[in-house]
Amino acid sequence: YPTNLSTNQKGNLTVGVVNYEHLDSNYLLKITENNKTLKNENITLKNNEKIEIPFNFSENSSGQYKIQFDLYKLPDTKNVYRSLFILVNVN
């Protein structure tokens, strides 16, 4: 994934979600930066099914940005099921 970008340069990455629940499951993928929602996507996957979601982003000012990827297992939207983040430096 991109860790260093120039101002207004586009960063591209792919978010993969795989269902290992042994049953059909519904998820919500929420991508945020500093509590600002960049993307919400509802996902329904059968057991062992995988989806790859392209995600593009850019920043118009320099600094370090934390982009958070939170996956919720629906119907629970209060407790994060899986989470990760990346730090991106923009010059």
Side-chain angles (χ1 to χ4, degrees):
Y1 65 89
T3 56
N4 294 296
L5 297 174
S6 298
T7 304
N8 294 317
Q9 180 182 1
K10 191 176 281 189
N12 303 303
L13 57 86
T14 302
V15 180
V17 180
V18 183
N19 177 359
Y20 293 122
E21 308 292 333
H22 301 291
L23 54 102
D24 295 356
S25 296
N26 298 307
Y27 304 95
L28 169 65
L29 174 65
K30 185 175 184 180
I31 304 173
T32 58
E33 175 203 69
N34 298 332
N35 296 320
K36 178 179 111 183
T37 300
L38 303 177
K39 182 177 184 108
N40 275 332
E41 183 150 341
N42 287 302
I43 303 164
T44 299
L45 296 174
K46 295 178 180 175
N47 185 47
N48 289 321
E49 189 175 13
K50 175 182 180 180
I51 188 169
E52 293 183 342
I53 302 163
F55 177 66
N56 303 312
F57 60 95
S58 65
E59 299 297 339
N60 58 13
S61 60
S62 61
Q64 186 176 67
Y65 294 87
K66 178 180 177 182
I67 301 176
Q68 182 87 24
F69 301 84
D70 292 329
L71 186 69
Y72 297 84
K73 186 174 178 194
L74 298 175
D76 184 357
T77 58
K78 295 186 186 211
N79 299 299
V80 177
Y81 185 60
R82 298 283 187 265
S83 182
L84 64 89
F85 67 89
I86 63 170
L87 296 175
V88 179
N89 298 303
V90 179
N91 298 312

